[in-house]
Short mmCIF file of all heavy atoms in Angstrom, two decimals:
data_model
loop_
_atom_site.label_atom_id
_atom_site.label_comp_id
_atom_site.label_asym_id
_atom_site.label_seq_id
_atom_site.Cartn_x
_atom_site.Cartn_y
_atom_site.Cartn_z
N GLN Z 955 139.25 52.21 90.69
CA GLN Z 955 139.25 51.24 91.77
C GLN Z 955 140.48 51.40 92.65
O GLN Z 955 140.40 51.32 93.86
CB GLN Z 955 139.24 49.78 91.22
CG GLN Z 955 137.89 49.31 90.81
CD GLN Z 955 136.92 49.29 91.98
OE1 GLN Z 955 136.02 50.11 92.07
NE2 GLN Z 955 137.08 48.37 92.91
N ASN Z 1019 107.81 36.74 96.63
CA ASN Z 1019 106.52 37.20 96.10
C ASN Z 1019 106.13 38.57 96.49
O ASN Z 1019 104.99 39.00 96.20
CB ASN Z 1019 105.44 36.18 96.53
CG ASN Z 1019 105.70 34.80 96.04
OD1 ASN Z 1019 106.06 34.61 94.88
ND2 ASN Z 1019 105.60 33.82 96.94
N GLY Z 1020 106.97 39.29 97.13
CA GLY Z 1020 106.57 40.61 97.63
C GLY Z 1020 107.13 41.81 96.95
O GLY Z 1020 107.05 42.91 97.50
#
Side-chain angles (χ1 to χ4, degrees):
Q955 279 300 107
N1019 300 314

